[in-house]
């Protein structure tokens, strides 16, 4: 009875479309299975993975599936049922409840099911096949080495082959015969062998009984002869001659093949062989793996020094011993069982174990394979063992580090959000849930720009990340689920994988509601203090128009009171003449008070496109009188082609007034001087420099000048908050404020702000080359 399947069934099976499968559970087993399918190591079990399901987006199988371009990555296994064409589910969670739920809910009419018990068969097949591949590779390498060795030996031995007919007439010779004897084919072919002088075997002057040709003809079997002769220099040479008959189907001799070998070269080859074996032994000794050979009885026949060190014994104390004599019974039984499996199956295997050696726990990874003789019989077991203790410790440390980092994410009060290259939310930590009111499941997969006051603001941040690598302490507002806004300080950077490729962004935000309220209060207080300082300078500016108004009003009043009989026409003429002057002076006062009110009014920080030069020209009049009183001259050197910046104009003016006021104060103590205000563009940033020729600032004070409550003014003349607030404002708009000064040579305060990038559409990232 023929049990083999019909050929058409095999062909039909091989031509069948592969299973389109989805894997449930994306742990290490899933990753290993994906590698098996990707490397086509399942043999005839043709499977194409089109989906992976796991609730953990960071699971090894999910990460690998994304790298492999698997089209469907889902969280719940029941989502697999809706994937078109999917006809197989492979469960790798190891959870019986999940297994039973899949078995209960899957559409049995179109989706087949393999649980983790069945899937383990694939793993065993993969392990066996992988070990077999490694064994075949090692055997192939060994065969290649032996082949090269045989070829080297063969090419080193000058065998001379002669083919003759029964009458000793030469029919054919090989190249070595011709080369060794300095002959050409026409010098040999057709002649009797005894007429040819063969240097390797000497002159043919022997009797018929001693000739291997006649013996092979008569006995109809190979005949071996060793012959000694002397060369022209009188040196003894030895030749091994083999004559073998060529028999026809009837058993009659139709010719003879003679092979002549110079035995002298064999001795040299044996010496070379011994040298080669010595090199192999030396290689074994210096090999980094513990290498050893055991006979079928479990005795160690050979091992290298690496193995001796790993076993914590001398080599002489191991040879001839068994594992029972060297290790505790638990470990010895494990090693012996693996040896027995290799001897029984004739196949290699790989296993890992934890072992205690000399009081220390070690992790060993071992591969064992059979040593097979020419007859195909397993004669010994070869073992290769590597100490992977450090690797295991690194993996354990990595696991602990991952758990530690996850614990930080889960318990951090910061808002931590990561996104992919499309700007969609990938992770959303509990701190973000608490601050913004969303559950992670609600926001994952959505555009992160929806969390900002405007999506355009996030795009501007991404452009700055692309330019500078990261954005630090950027203050803005995020929108809660209920629509309210929460002030935050954001640090945003590119997120890269282990290859250095950009895969998205990571942002950490701190809720600064309380800090912002305190800062606004302090800033408002400082603004009011600044108004007070300005009031003295502005008072004179207001008193002048008031004096004019008073004089004109007194004059008109006298016209009406002193002479009641004054003609009405004259009175009307005087009123018409003087009222425009009064109105002019009133408007002048209104402009001055309007500036003071606008400056002192509390306002929220907002992004505006501001003209730096216009802001400077706006604030100079505020301090013009104070500068004149202090004998200070202000010189403007402004770049008319200066680009605009992104900052609230009122806050920019507050910075300028503060810095100008400080310079005037420093020069007032010096009884006058000059302030040079310059604006210019450098490195795509707008610079405004306030240079004075005052007394300068000491090194000690300069290092903490922007700290709160640090002042160079006499006690009672300053709060020490002005420069600190200026620093805070500039940082909020991603700018810089710096000071350069040498005592006795003046000081230069520089405000540096990013130029406005409206219309810049440069992409945040470039697609990596695979």
């Amino acid at each position: 009875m023929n049990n083999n399947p019909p050929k058409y069934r095999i062909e039909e099976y091989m031509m069948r479309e592969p299973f389109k499968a989805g894997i449930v559970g994306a742990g290490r087993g899933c990753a290993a299975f994906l590698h098996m399918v990707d490397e086509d190591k399942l043999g005839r079990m043709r499977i194409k993975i089109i989906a992976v399901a796991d609730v953990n987006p960071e699971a090894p199988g999910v990460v690998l599936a994304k790298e492999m371009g698997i089209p469907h990555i889902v969280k719940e296994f029941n989502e697999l049922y809706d994937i078109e064409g999917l006809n197989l589910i492979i469960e790798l969670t190891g959870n019986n409840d999940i297994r039973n739920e899949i078995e209960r809910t899957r559409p049995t009419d179109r989706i087949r099911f393999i649980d983790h018990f069945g899937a383990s068969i694939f793993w065993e097949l993969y392990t066996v096949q992988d070990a077999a591949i490694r064994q075949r590779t090692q055997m192939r390498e060994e065969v290649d080495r032996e082949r090269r060795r045989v070829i080297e030996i063969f090419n080193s031995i000058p065998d001379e082959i002669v083919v003759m007919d029964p009458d000793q007439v030469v029919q054919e010779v090989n190249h070595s015969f011709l080369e060794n004897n300095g002959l050409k084919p026409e010098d040999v072919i057709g002649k009797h062998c005894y007429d040819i002088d063969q240097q390797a075997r000497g002159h043919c002057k022997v009797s018929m009984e001693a000739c291997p040709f006649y013996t092979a003809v008569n006995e109809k079997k190979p005949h071996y002869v060793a012959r000694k002769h002397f060369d022209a220099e009188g040196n003894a040479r030895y030749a091994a001659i083999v004559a073998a008959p060529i028999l026809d189907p009837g058993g009659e001799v139709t010719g003879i093949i003679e092979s002549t070998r110079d035995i002298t070269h064999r001795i040299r080859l044996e010496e070379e062989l011994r040298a080669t074996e010595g090199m192999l032994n030396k290689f074994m000794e210096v090999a980094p793996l513990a290498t050893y050979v055991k006979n079928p009885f479990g005795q160690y026949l050979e091992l290298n020094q690496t193995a001796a060190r790993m076993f914590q014994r001398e080599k002489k104390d191991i040879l001839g011993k068994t594992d029972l004599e060297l290790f505790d019974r638990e470990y010895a039984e494990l090693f012996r069982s693996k040896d027995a499996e290799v001897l029984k199956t004739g196949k290699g295997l790989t296993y890992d174990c934890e072992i205690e050696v000399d009081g220390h726990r070690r992790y060993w990874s071992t591969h064992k394979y059979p040593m097979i003789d020419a007859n195909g019989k397993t004669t010994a077991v070869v073992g290769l063992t590597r100490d992977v203790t450090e690797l295991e410790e690194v993996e354990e440390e990595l696991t602990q580090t991952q758990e530690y980092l996850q614990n930080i994410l889960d318990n951090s009060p910061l808002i931590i959000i990561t996104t992919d290259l499309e700007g969609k939310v990938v992770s959303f930590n509990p701190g973000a849930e608490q601050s913004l009111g969303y559950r992670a499941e609600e926001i994952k997969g959505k555009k992160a720009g929806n969390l900002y006051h405007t999506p355009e603001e996030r795009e501007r941040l991404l452009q700055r990340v692309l330019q500078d690598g990261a954005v630090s302490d950027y203050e803005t507002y995020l929108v809660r689920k209920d629509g309210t806004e929460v002030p935050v300080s954001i640090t945003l950077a590119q997120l890269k994988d282990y290859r250095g490729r950009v895969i998205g962004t990571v942002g950490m935000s701190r809720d600064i509601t309380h800090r912002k309220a305190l800062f606004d209060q302090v800033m408002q207080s400082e603004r009011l203090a600044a108004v007070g300082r300005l009031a003295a300078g502005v008072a004179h500016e207001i008193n002048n128009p008031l004096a004019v108004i008073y004089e004109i009003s007194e004059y008109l009043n006298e016209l009406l009171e002193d002479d009641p009989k004054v003609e009405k026409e004259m009175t009307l003429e005087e009123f018409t003449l003087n009222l425009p002057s009064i109105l002019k002076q009133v408007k002048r006062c209104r402009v001055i008070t309007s500036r003071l009110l606008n400056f002192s009014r509390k306002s929220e920080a907002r992004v505006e496109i501001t003209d730096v030069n216009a802001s400077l020209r706006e604030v100079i009049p505020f301090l013009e009188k104070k500068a004149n009183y202090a004998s200070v001259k202000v010189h403007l050197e402004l770049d008319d082609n200066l680009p605009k910046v992104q900052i609230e104009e009122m806050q920019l003016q507050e910075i300028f007034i503060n810095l100008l006021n400080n310079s005037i104060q420093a020069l007032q103590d010096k009884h006058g001087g000059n302030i040079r205000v310059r604006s210019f563009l450098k490195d795509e940033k707008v610079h405004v420099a306030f240079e004075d020729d005052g007394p300068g600032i000491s090194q000690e004070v300069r290092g903490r000048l922007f700290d709160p409550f640090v002042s160079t003014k006499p006690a009672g003349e300053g709060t020490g908050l002005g420069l600190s607030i200026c620093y805070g404002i500039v940082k909020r708009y991603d700018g810089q404020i710096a000071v350069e000064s040498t005592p006795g040579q003046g000081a230069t305060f520089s405000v540096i702000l990013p130029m406005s990038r409206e219309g810049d559409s440069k992409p945040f990232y470039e697609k990596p080359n695979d």
Side-chain angles (χ1 to χ4, degrees):
M1 180 177 180
N2 186 5
N3 293 324
N4 293 326
K7 181 177 181 182
Y8 74 89
R9 292 186 179 179
I10 296 176
E11 294 175 347
E12 180 183 355
Y13 178 83
M14 295 303 292
M15 294 175 65
R16 177 178 56 78
E17 289 292 325
F19 286 106
K20 294 182 178 179
I23 298 177
V24 178
R28 293 184 178 179
C30 173
F33 194 87
L34 290 174
H35 280 301
M36 291 167 57
V37 174
D38 186 53
E39 297 170 6
D40 196 20
K41 292 187 176 181
L42 294 180
R44 293 186 176 181
M45 188 63 181
R46 305 176 67 206
I47 295 177
K48 179 180 181 181
I49 304 301
I50 65 172
V52 172
D54 198 297
V55 296
N56 180 12
E58 303 298 328
V62 172
V63 174
L64 180 57
K66 291 179 180 179
E67 292 180 358
M68 294 173 61
I70 290 177
H72 303 286
I73 309 295
V74 300
K75 294 181 179 179
E76 303 295 339
F77 63 81
N78 54 18
E79 297 180 56
L80 301 176
Y81 303 159
D82 299 328
I83 297 176
E84 182 178 358
L86 188 139
N87 54 18
L88 175 63
I89 291 178
I90 301 173
E91 179 265 319
L92 298 179
T93 66
N95 188 315
N96 289 330
D97 292 338
I98 294 178
R99 174 201 174 282
N100 295 336
E101 186 65 16
I102 295 174
E103 184 64 45
R104 185 182 67 81
T105 60
R106 70 180 174 90
T108 57
D109 59 329
R110 59 185 178 85
I111 297 180
R112 297 174 181 170
F113 179 52
I114 299 176
D115 62 10
H116 56 273
F117 298 105
S120 64
I121 296 175
F122 293 117
W123 179 251
E124 294 297 332
L125 288 173
Y126 170 75
T127 303
V128 171
Q129 187 174 12
D130 188 60
I133 290 173
R134 289 200 298 272
Q135 177 190 357
R136 287 197 297 269
T137 300
Q138 292 171 349
M139 292 179 65
R140 188 181 302 112
E141 292 173 352
E142 184 67 25
V143 169
D144 289 342
R145 285 195 294 270
E146 289 298 322
R147 181 181 293 111
R148 289 192 297 270
R149 182 172 154 200
V150 170
I151 291 174
E152 179 183 354
I153 294 173
F154 180 79
N155 290 333
S156 301
I157 300 176
D159 293 294
E160 300 178 9
I161 308 299
V162 181
V163 180
M164 298 171 285
D165 64 13
D167 296 325
Q168 292 183 281
V169 176
V170 176
Q171 304 295 316
E172 190 63 60
V173 295
N174 69 346
H175 178 71
S176 294
F177 181 93
L178 297 174
E179 184 177 3
N180 293 342
N181 294 287
L183 300 173
K184 298 179 180 179
E186 56 269 23
D187 298 329
V188 179
I189 305 302
K191 296 184 178 181
H192 290 90
C193 65
Y194 47 78
D195 291 329
I196 301 172
D197 188 10
Q198 300 183 47
Q199 297 179 14
R201 62 194 296 177
H203 298 290
C204 189
K205 303 295 183 181
V206 298
S207 62
M208 294 178 57
E209 291 79 8
C211 180
F213 178 90
Y214 290 107
T215 304
V217 170
N218 295 331
E219 296 181 0
K220 296 184 180 181
K221 62 181 181 180
H223 184 64
Y224 304 88
V225 173
R227 181 174 296 171
K228 179 180 179 181
H229 70 283
F230 296 88
D231 60 19
E233 287 77 22
N235 298 316
R237 311 282 301 182
Y238 295 86
I241 304 170
V242 180
I246 301 174
L247 304 177
D248 64 12
E252 296 299 322
V253 177
T254 61
I256 295 292
I257 297 177
E258 270 192 7
S259 173
T260 302
R261 178 179 301 174
D262 190 338
I263 302 178
T264 307
H265 292 288
R266 179 196 292 180
I267 296 174
R268 296 174 184 172
L269 289 174
E270 290 176 351
E271 292 175 351
E272 291 180 7
L273 179 59
R274 285 193 294 270
T276 302
E277 290 176 345
M279 293 176 61
L280 291 174
N281 291 334
K282 184 177 180 180
F283 170 78
M284 183 175 176
E285 284 301 320
V286 299
L289 295 181
T291 307
Y292 46 89
V293 180
K294 299 160 71 175
N295 64 18
F297 303 105
Q299 295 173 307
Y300 285 87
L301 302 179
E302 186 58 70
L303 72 155
N304 62 359
Q305 287 298 331
T306 303
R309 288 192 297 269
M310 189 176 293
F311 296 167
Q312 296 290 312
R313 287 175 171 81
E314 295 291 335
K315 183 175 179 179
K316 62 183 179 59
D317 298 329
I318 300 174
L319 292 174
K321 302 288 182 62
T322 65
D323 291 319
L324 283 172
E325 298 174 273
L326 300 172
F327 302 100
D328 292 342
R329 177 170 292 275
E330 175 188 357
Y331 307 130
E333 292 295 341
L334 172 64
F335 301 154
R336 293 180 67 182
S337 66
K338 299 301 181 182
D339 293 343
E341 185 175 347
V342 172
L343 292 169
K344 180 180 179 181
T345 63
K347 297 179 180 179
L349 57 84
T350 301
Y351 65 93
D352 299 330
C353 68
E354 181 180 354
I355 184 171
E356 183 173 330
V357 179
D358 197 22
H360 298 284
R361 304 297 295 181
R362 310 298 297 175
Y363 295 91
W364 288 357
S365 178
T366 301
H367 179 71
K368 292 183 175 179
Y369 60 92
M371 182 179 289
I372 302 174
D373 63 14
N375 297 321
K377 181 180 178 181
T378 300
T379 59
V381 174
V382 179
L384 302 173
T385 299
R386 181 176 60 167
D387 190 328
V388 294
T389 303
E390 293 182 359
L391 180 60
E392 288 288 334
E393 292 174 350
V394 169
E395 290 182 352
E396 183 178 354
E397 183 178 349
L398 177 60
T399 300
Q400 293 176 352
T401 301
Q402 290 175 338
E403 294 174 353
Y404 177 74
L405 292 176
Q406 188 61 46
N407 188 44
I408 291 176
L409 289 175
D410 292 341
N411 295 282
S412 174
L414 297 178
I415 301 170
I416 303 176
I417 303 172
T418 64
T419 66
D420 60 16
L421 294 176
E422 297 179 357
K424 295 180 180 179
V425 175
V426 175
S427 66
F428 198 78
N429 79 324
E433 292 181 328
Q434 183 177 0
S435 297
L436 300 180
Y438 290 96
R439 288 183 291 107
E441 293 73 15
E442 294 179 286
I443 203 67
K444 286 182 179 179
K446 303 292 181 61
K447 289 286 188 180
N450 297 332
L451 297 172
Y452 285 71
H453 187 70
T454 61
E456 293 77 12
E457 183 179 17
R458 173 175 166 79
E459 291 303 318
R460 289 196 297 270
L461 282 179
L462 292 179
Q463 297 303 324
R464 288 167 58 185
V465 169
L466 176 63
Q467 177 184 356
D468 302 326
V471 172
S472 300
D473 297 329
Y474 176 82
E475 294 187 10
T476 185
Y477 291 86
L478 295 181
V479 182
R480 295 189 179 95
K481 183 179 180 181
D482 60 8
T484 60
E485 296 181 344
V486 53
V488 295
S489 174
I490 292 179
T491 296
L492 188 66
Q494 292 178 337
L495 186 63
K496 299 181 179 181
D497 61 13
Y498 69 97
R499 298 177 180 173
R501 298 183 303 182
V502 177
I503 59 175
T505 66
V506 56
M508 291 182 287
S509 307
R510 184 187 301 277
D511 188 334
I512 58 171
T513 302
H514 182 65
R515 188 182 79 182
K516 181 174 175 55
L518 292 177
F519 181 81
D520 288 345
Q521 291 176 11
V522 173
M523 190 165 65
Q524 180 66 11
S525 299
E526 178 64 19
R527 180 180 284 129
L528 292 176
V531 170
R533 292 192 296 270
L534 291 174
V538 175
H540 180 76
E541 187 73 18
I542 295 178
N543 283 334
N544 286 337
L546 287 177
V548 174
I549 294 171
Y550 179 79
E551 292 296 330
I552 295 175
S553 299
E554 284 292 318
Y555 169 70
L556 295 177
N557 188 51
E558 289 176 359
L559 287 177
L560 296 175
E561 292 180 355
D562 294 345
D563 190 359
K565 298 180 179 181
V566 175
E567 295 182 0
K568 293 182 179 180
E569 292 182 0
M570 178 180 176
T571 303
L572 181 61
E573 181 180 353
E574 291 296 330
F575 270 84
T576 303
L577 179 65
N578 290 281
L579 278 178
S581 297
I582 294 174
L583 292 175
K584 178 180 179 181
Q585 299 302 321
V586 169
K587 289 180 180 179
R588 183 179 176 187
C589 291
R590 180 179 298 172
V591 170
I592 296 171
T593 56
S594 175
R595 287 175 177 173
L596 284 173
L597 290 174
N598 287 337
F599 182 72
S600 62
R601 184 180 300 116
K602 182 178 181 180
S603 61
E604 296 294 332
R606 60 184 183 273
V607 176
E608 297 177 351
I609 306 301
T610 301
D611 187 327
V612 170
N613 292 341
S615 296
L616 282 168
R617 293 189 177 100
E618 181 74 18
V619 301
I620 292 298
F622 275 113
L623 301 172
E624 188 173 7
K625 290 297 181 181
K626 183 174 182 178
N628 291 335
Y629 289 150
S631 299
V632 174
K633 294 184 178 180
V634 179
H635 308 275
L636 295 180
E637 299 179 12
L638 308 181
D639 182 356
D640 293 334
N641 297 320
L642 200 66
K644 295 182 179 181
V645 296
Q646 290 182 332
I647 189 172
E648 183 187 2
E649 183 177 15
M650 188 62 65
Q651 294 199 357
L652 182 61
Q653 291 178 348
E654 181 175 351
I655 294 171
F656 292 162
I657 288 176
N658 210 320
L659 295 178
L660 283 168
N661 190 65
N662 286 348
S663 296
I664 292 172
Q665 180 68 40
L667 291 170
Q668 182 176 345
D669 297 340
K670 190 184 174 183
H671 307 296
N674 296 279
I675 299 174
R676 182 181 174 213
V677 182
R678 297 188 301 121
S679 67
F680 55 92
L681 183 67
K682 181 180 178 181
D683 297 331
E684 296 189 347
K685 292 187 178 181
V686 174
H687 293 242
V688 182
F690 298 84
E691 304 175 8
D692 66 61
D693 51 6
I697 305 171
S698 67
Q699 176 69 30
E700 179 183 359
V701 175
R702 191 164 68 247
R704 52 190 181 90
L705 196 60
F706 297 106
D707 294 343
F709 308 109
V710 174
S711 175
T712 60
K713 299 176 184 178
E717 295 188 15
T719 63
L721 293 174
L723 289 178
S724 176
I725 290 177
C726 290
Y727 179 84
I729 294 173
V730 171
K731 292 298 291 185
R732 290 169 68 185
Y733 292 96
D734 201 27
Q736 301 175 27
I737 183 169
V739 60
E740 297 179 4
S741 178
T742 300
Q745 300 182 20
T748 300
F749 284 83
S750 298
V751 178
I752 305 169
L753 295 169
M755 57 184 287
S756 175
R757 293 185 174 275
E758 290 186 317
D760 190 351
S761 60
K762 187 177 181 181
F764 165 62
Y765 72 95
E766 296 181 1
K767 185 176 180 182
N769 295 323
D770 294 331

